[in-house]
Every structure is written in structure tokens, then in C-alpha cells.
Amino acid sequence: MITDRVLAFLEAALLTSRGPVMVQGLVEALGDGTVSAAEVEEALKSIRDQLSAPGHGIRLEKVAGGWRYVTLPELDDPLRVFHGLAAKQRLSQAALEVLSIVAHRQPVTLPEVNFVRGANSTGVVRTLLDRGLIRLAGRKKVVGKPFLYRTTKEFLVHFGLDRIEELPEPEKMIQDENFEAE
Amino acid sequence: MITDRVLAFLEAALLTSRGPVMVQGLVEALGDGTVSAAEVEEALKSIRDQLSAPGHGIRLEKVAGGWRYVTLPELDDPLRVFHGLAAKQRLSQAALEVLSIVAHRQPVTLPEVNFVRGANSTGVVRTLLDRGLIRLAGRKKVVGKPFLYRTTKEFLVHFGLDRIEELPEPEKMIQDENFEAE
Amino acid sequence: MALKDTIGIGPAIEVPDFNGPLDLLLHLIRKNKFSIHDIPISSICAQYHQHLREMQRLDLELAGEFLWMASWLLHLKSRTLLPKASADGGEDDPRRELVDRLLEYRRVKEVAEYLYDADVVRRCLWEPNIGVQGHGGELELDWEDVDLRVLARTYLEVMDRFAAAHPPPLQVTPLRFKVQDKMRELYDTVHQNKLMPLLRHLDTRTDPEEVVALVVATLELVRLGGVRAEQRRVFAEIFLRPGPRAYDPAATFHQESLEAVHDH
């Protein structure tokens, strides 16, 4: 029987899933044996119908044998803007990697960063420059005279350091015994 | 003005976000200048109220200065079965004590935490750092330059606080000076 | 608060798992319904020590801070037993600091209890995970919460990944001196000069690898009859002279001699 509890669970399961959700998995998770696959399917259809009313930004679609929430295509533009804005308070894994390399090996060139990461970091370096976390610090006297990068004062402020020399050895930060000694 | 399009966008933006969403970002993404922060806030509250009806498995909450969708706590069991995940580990009494101290006295050093608790807290502090509930916040300008600790945004999110000031003052929680019999 | 298993023959008192000496003291004060502002030090001191003995009997791990507190309590007890040093009422109560610390710790426990209740419910909440279509959904960190430790861990992860992608090269150094070349060189020199002092020649060589190649080349040439070696006494100079047979590098070179150098 389709109860409020079943509907609530379906909504929660869809929300917390990446990719299509199989009906069989939902039936098994509900587990009490009182809900059949046909009933779950029926409940999903009723959720789908509800979401088709105006004022909803998502719909429920059946793909590849499963069900999933998708956002409306006409919301793509504002969503892209929104997630772009939100990303400004966040740091991607790539940006964090570049920042950690510049911090611990400065001064360092882009080719060196690329070599250590094994990936092109041009875009990420630009982002970090824009955010004022790294800065240009002259050129390296090697072929091509690549730019050298260092961390900024803003970097120090964020991490609560007075001088870059205060940056602890990475190993010390992770190991138990040294950490305790601090 | 709150239109269906605004409501649809809010729903889509919240569903595709991880962590609390700031009202300001939502207003900017809508971008046409027709919607104010107050209106967005109002719209969010109406979505929250709608979700409080039975048959819904998610709710909208205000936490750490933003809004986010979360599932209902009573759905934890079937969701864990569905996703095949073990229950999240409970925080130990010692961990909760350290969190209380850091939350009220931040920024605070490990020796200070140890003194208030009257017990060594090194291991606990590490665990809390690993769980992202506290973070390093520079070093104290005293002999030995010990690290300072603060609670994180994740701390607010985990404990359902909008701001750190929402954490109850212990003095208000203690009614009488002496202990009641248990 | 979880009670530790009380093993053995029924212990006199229950020994809960305390989070330090202040926790234990608060427990004793609460149990006795004492006022925290007027703690009867003698009684508390006695009970505290009794607990420590019990914990030791049960082989519970007894952290140093418990023993430190025990001695502090004894100290306080002795001070309260002394007659007041001065007559004026402004004399500090020796228990003052203990009371302050207990009050502060009690506040901590109150907040911890609030957090405990929140944790029970809140760790059952799940976040949306549907992500944005056509978006990688890369994990991003809140900049505010990126601290030195996150930075250090990221750096070590990058370096680990780098080390895994760039394993140290095998130490294969090419042979710089070929036995075959040295054989021809020696053969030619010996046949040109009719006599060649081998040890003196080896002394002029600075590279041990070349010395090895020369020695092996000599042995090989002697075996093949290309040169003859003479030594009058042990440790004396070894003279090389032309041998009975001509040396044909293409036909006579043996693979084994090369391998001998390899093994060296």
C-alpha cells in the first residue's frame, strides 16, 4: 500500500541518489513486504505528476530502466550562473592542489607545477591569481624565462601565519607525534 | 515578485547544491533585479512550509547562514539500506566536550582545551580535525606558537545552527547552582 | 555514560568511564549532593582516592592527570586543616581554584550534552546528491574551512601521486668499456711494442671499470693464444708478449667474457 511513509522515502531516496534509481532497490529498502514493485512504480508516477505543476524546477523522468530527478532545461542558464557564483566561495580540488604546491615549493614555475601534478594547471593558476592567493614573483633564469609564483599576504592572513617561514612541514602536520609536540 | 519561475529556480538550485545555499547568490543568479532578497527569503519559507505536509521525505532548513534540503531523520534506516551504507559514527563524550570548549572560546589552543577538560585531548582534536568539525586557525603569539582552533561551517551544519551565537549559553542552561539529585 | 564491565567478584563501587579527573570529581559531588561552592575536601579526597584504587584494581588505564588531581586534593586537604594564617576574613579559600575549574567544566558538560542531543538526530540527515546535469560534480571545499592541515594533506597526496607516476629508474649503467675493444687495443699494443708491462699500464688507468675490462681482455687473449703473459715472482710485474696465434675479433669473441664483466 502506498502510504505517506512510502512517498516520503521515495522522495528522499531520489534526492540522495546520483543517477537513475531502480524500482527493485526501492522496494527492497522499504523491506516490509507490504509494498510491491507495481505500487512503487505507481507512487513514482504520482510524484512525477505532482512535479509537472507550475512552480516546480525539477521533474521526475524514467531513463535506462530507472527513475531520476532532473532540472528543467529552461533553468540551465540561471543554474549555471548560480553554481558559478557559489563556486567563488569554494575551492576546487585542482585549485587546492596547485595552491599546496606553490605554498610548499615556492617560488615555482607553471611548468614545474604541471610536471608535479601531471596535469595542465594554466586555468587554475589564473583563478588563484584572480583570487589573490598567489602572485607573480619574477622570472626563472632558464630557457623560456617562465614566470615564478609565490603565495600572497592574503594567503598568510587566511592561514593565520605571520611569515611564510611559519608554514609547517607538511609531514609534521599529518603525523601524530609531532602534532602533539606543538 | 515571486513568480512560478522564481519558485522553480529556487527548487532546482537547492536540489543541485551541496551544503547550505546563500540567499544573496540566489538573488544574483536570478539577476533580473525583479526579486529582492526579502522575497527570496519569503519564497524559501513558503517552500519550507509546503514540505512540512505529510508524504514528504525532505525538508528545507536554515543552517550556517544558508538554506538546504535534508531528508527526515526517521528515513535514515531505509536510506542506509537503500544506499548500502553503515550508520555514521556517533561523537564520543570527549569529542563533544572539546567541541563545546572550542565553540565557546574560539580561537583556542590545545593546552587551553586540555586545562579546561583536565584531560589530554590530542587524539580527540585530531579526530575532530579529520571530521572537519574544527579547523586550524593560525598560531597563538605566545611561547611555542601553539596552533589555534576554530569550529568550521560543517560544525554549524552538523549541529543545525544558523550562527555560532545560536549555541546555548551554558549559564542559561544551568538553572540552579547545585546539582539536583539524579 | 557507559559503565565499564565490572569483571571479577562484585566490586564495592561502580566505576564508570570518566573523561578525566574533573569528570570524576563532579560525579562524586553530585552523588553526595554536595554544594559545588562548599566542597568538604576531606570527604571528597577520601572518595576520590578510593575510586583511583578501584580503577587500579580493575586494571583500567589510569592517565597521569588522575594522579595529579589526587595529589592536588591532598594538598588542598592539608591546607584546609591548617589554622587560618591571618585573622582577616579576606583570606583566600584554598578551594577557590578547584571550584572555578569545576564550574567551568560543568558548563562544558552542559553544552556537550546539548551537542549530544543534536548529534543523535542530525547525523541521520542526508544531503541532496543529484548534482547538476552535465557537470562533473567535482568535490569542492569551502574556502573558509581550508586550513593548514588540508593544505598539507593535499600537498602530500600530490607528491604521492607524483611518486607513483614516476617510479625511480632502474640503475642500468651502460658498459663504458667493452672487453672486445680492450682485447683489440691490448693485442695491437703488445704486437707493436713486443713487450708490455700490464700492471704498470693498469696503474695508469683511473676508472675501475676499465681496469676490469683490461684484466678480462688479457685473460681472454691469453686463453686464445693472442698474447702470452709472464710473471717471474709473485706480485712482480706481468709482462705481455705476442702469442703464438693471431687474434681475430669477429670469430673468437666469447659472450661469456662479457657476462663476466656484467656480473662484476
Side-chain angles (χ1 to χ4, degrees):
Chain A
M1 211 186 74
I2 306 167
T3 58
D4 279 345
R5 183 176 165 273
V6 171
L7 284 169
F9 167 71
L10 294 179
E11 190 176 53
L14 288 163
L15 179 83
T16 53
S17 295
R18 197 171 267 268
V21 163
M22 304 293 157
V23 170
Q24 198 47 45
L26 294 166
V27 173
E28 281 166 28
L30 279 160
D32 36 25
T34 53
V35 188
S36 66
E39 281 171 324
V40 165
E41 193 97 17
E42 196 189 323
L44 288 166
K45 280 175 185 159
S46 83
I47 294 176
R48 180 184 64 188
D49 295 345
Q50 254 179 48
L51 287 173
S52 67
H56 283 293
I58 53 166
R59 60 181 191 212
L60 188 56
E61 67 171 23
K62 195 175 183 184
V63 282
W67 295 77
R68 67 167 183 185
Y69 279 140
V70 285
T71 55
L72 296 180
E74 57 264 40
L75 291 171
D76 275 358
D77 278 345
L79 280 177
R80 213 187 317 266
V81 174
F82 171 71
H83 287 294
L85 288 170
K88 290 214 170 125
Q89 286 127 33
R90 292 167 171 271
L91 208 60
S92 70
Q93 184 60 31
L96 192 60
E97 286 185 11
V98 172
L99 189 62
S100 76
I101 294 166
V102 176
H104 286 106
R105 298 175 84 104
Q106 58 188 311
V108 69
T109 67
L110 180 57
E112 285 161 2
V113 171
N114 288 343
F115 181 64
V116 171
R117 278 192 69 220
N120 190 307
S121 315
T122 315
V124 184
V125 163
R126 197 169 303 140
T127 309
L128 291 171
L129 280 170
D130 286 345
R131 290 180 64 163
L133 295 171
I134 62 172
R135 63 183 168 89
L136 290 171
R139 291 170 175 265
K140 191 165 183 173
K141 290 181 182 62
V142 295
V143 181
K145 294 210 169 185
F147 283 117
L148 286 163
Y149 296 94
R150 282 189 180 278
T151 52
T152 61
K153 191 162 189 155
E154 193 171 328
F155 171 91
L156 292 179
V157 170
H158 176 85
F159 290 101
L161 301 172
D162 282 339
R163 290 167 298 116
I164 195 63
E165 290 74 29
E166 281 183 7
L167 189 72
E169 291 288 317
E171 289 82 4
K172 280 193 182 162
M173 297 298 295
I174 302 307
Q175 282 165 15
D176 236 320
E177 49 283 359
N178 293 310
F179 188 68
E180 189 166 356
E182 287 288 345
Chain B
M1 210 185 73
I2 305 168
T3 59
D4 279 344
R5 182 175 166 273
V6 171
L7 285 170
F9 167 72
L10 294 179
E11 187 176 59
L14 289 162
L15 281 172
T16 51
S17 294
R18 266 172 179 272
V21 164
M22 304 293 148
V23 168
Q24 198 48 43
L26 294 166
V27 173
E28 279 173 42
L30 280 161
D32 35 26
T34 53
V35 187
S36 67
E39 282 172 324
V40 166
E41 194 100 15
E42 197 190 319
L44 290 167
K45 279 176 186 158
S46 82
I47 294 177
R48 180 183 65 188
D49 294 346
Q50 258 178 43
L51 286 173
S52 66
H56 282 294
I58 56 176
R59 65 182 187 208
L60 189 57
E61 67 171 15
K62 195 170 186 202
V63 79
W67 294 78
R68 70 160 192 170
Y69 278 130
V70 281
T71 59
L72 298 181
E74 56 264 39
L75 291 171
D76 187 41
D77 276 343
L79 282 174
R80 276 193 282 112
V81 173
F82 178 67
H83 291 291
L85 291 172
K88 276 191 214 155
Q89 269 222 299
R90 189 184 286 186
L91 289 162
S92 70
Q93 189 64 31
L96 293 166
E97 287 183 14
V98 171
L99 277 176
S100 309
I101 297 167
V102 176
H104 272 287
R105 298 178 160 232
Q106 57 189 318
V108 69
T109 66
L110 180 57
E112 284 161 6
V113 171
N114 288 342
F115 180 76
V116 174
R117 284 193 63 221
N120 189 306
S121 314
T122 312
V124 184
V125 162
R126 269 182 71 85
T127 308
L128 292 172
L129 281 168
D130 286 341
R131 286 189 68 161
L133 293 169
I134 62 173
R135 64 181 166 92
L136 291 171
R139 327 184 90 150
K140 191 163 181 172
K141 288 180 181 61
V142 295
V143 181
K145 292 215 166 186
F147 282 117
L148 288 162
Y149 298 94
R150 282 190 178 278
T151 53
T152 60
K153 198 170 201 170
E154 174 59 26
F155 169 84
L156 295 177
V157 171
H158 181 80
F159 290 102
L161 303 169
D162 196 14
R163 291 165 299 117
I164 192 72
E165 292 77 22
E166 273 187 9
L167 196 66
E169 284 294 320
E171 282 77 8
K172 287 180 186 137
M173 295 166 68
I174 300 171
Q175 295 300 316
D176 60 337
E177 294 232 304
N178 297 312
F179 286 113
E180 299 280 341
E182 270 174 81
Chain C
M1 201 169 287
L3 288 179
K4 285 256 170 167
D5 274 344
T6 44
I7 337 125
I9 17 140
I13 45 171
E14 286 178 337
V15 182
D17 192 2
F18 293 108
N19 279 298
L22 293 172
D23 202 17
L24 171 52
L25 276 183
L26 275 187
H27 167 81
L28 294 176
I29 292 167
R30 189 187 300 230
K31 202 177 86 179
N32 289 290
K33 297 180 190 173
F34 290 149
S35 164
I36 205 165
H37 293 282
D38 188 21
I39 304 166
I41 285 288
S42 294
S43 168
I44 277 292
C45 189
Q47 291 189 43
Y48 185 88
H49 279 84
Q50 194 193 344
H51 261 268
L52 285 203
R53 278 194 296 276
E54 196 58 31
M55 286 162 85
Q56 274 163 336
R57 197 181 71 81
L58 292 174
D59 247 353
L60 297 180
E61 199 190 329
L62 207 52
E65 49 249 24
F66 279 97
L67 301 173
W68 182 87
M69 177 61 76
S71 60
W72 193 27
L73 287 175
L74 276 175
H75 170 73
L76 290 179
K77 185 177 151 190
S78 65
R79 281 192 60 191
T80 48
L81 291 177
L82 286 173
K84 288 252 192 279
S86 70
D88 71 282
E91 174 68 17
D92 267 354
D93 188 335
R95 300 171 298 179
R96 185 73 243 160
E97 191 190 338
L98 179 64
V99 172
D100 286 347
R101 286 191 65 178
L102 282 170
L103 285 173
E104 180 59 29
Y105 182 67
R106 191 177 65 167
R107 286 187 207 108
V108 169
K109 282 197 67 118
E110 291 292 334
V111 180
E113 212 157 288
Y114 169 84
L115 292 178
Y116 173 85
D117 290 341
D119 181 50
V120 166
V121 179
R122 306 273 316 168
R123 76 202 154 80
C124 295
L125 307 184
W126 295 61
E127 286 204 308
N129 191 32
I130 59 180
V132 193
Q133 279 82 42
H135 214 262
E138 194 196 358
L139 198 68
E140 288 183 332
L141 282 145
D142 205 291
W143 172 234
E144 193 188 305
D145 289 343
V146 174
D147 66 5
L148 285 173
R149 205 150 169 277
V150 172
L151 198 71
R153 196 190 304 123
T154 305
Y155 179 71
L156 293 177
E157 279 166 9
V158 171
M159 295 319 288
D160 281 351
R161 203 176 63 208
F162 179 81
H166 301 80
L170 281 172
Q171 291 294 322
V172 183
T173 49
L175 283 175
R176 281 170 295 143
F177 301 95
K178 285 192 180 145
V179 172
Q180 203 169 355
D181 295 346
K182 288 294 159 194
M183 280 171 74
R184 179 175 297 134
E185 212 180 281
L186 272 175
Y187 184 82
D188 290 348
T189 314
V190 169
H191 278 263
Q192 210 177 315
N193 302 340
K194 306 294 177 199
L195 187 73
M196 180 188 163
L198 178 64
L199 295 182
R200 206 185 306 164
H201 179 65
L202 291 179
D203 276 344
T204 63
R205 307 292 94 184
T206 49
D207 193 322
E209 232 177 78
E210 187 180 4
V211 173
V212 171
L214 275 167
V215 170
V216 175
T218 307
L219 293 173
E220 192 70 0
L221 279 172
V222 169
R223 187 176 72 83
L224 295 170
V227 297
R228 282 190 294 125
E230 293 174 356
Q231 188 179 34
R232 302 279 165 88
R233 287 176 283 114
V234 182
F235 301 122
E237 181 59 84
I238 300 168
F239 289 100
L240 301 183
R241 294 173 193 279
R245 267 175 270 170
Y247 168 59
D248 177 11
T252 53
F253 187 73
H254 287 256
Q255 193 60 36
E256 311 94 77
S257 24
L258 228 195
E259 279 163 10
V261 176
H262 258 296
D263 288 345
H264 189 85

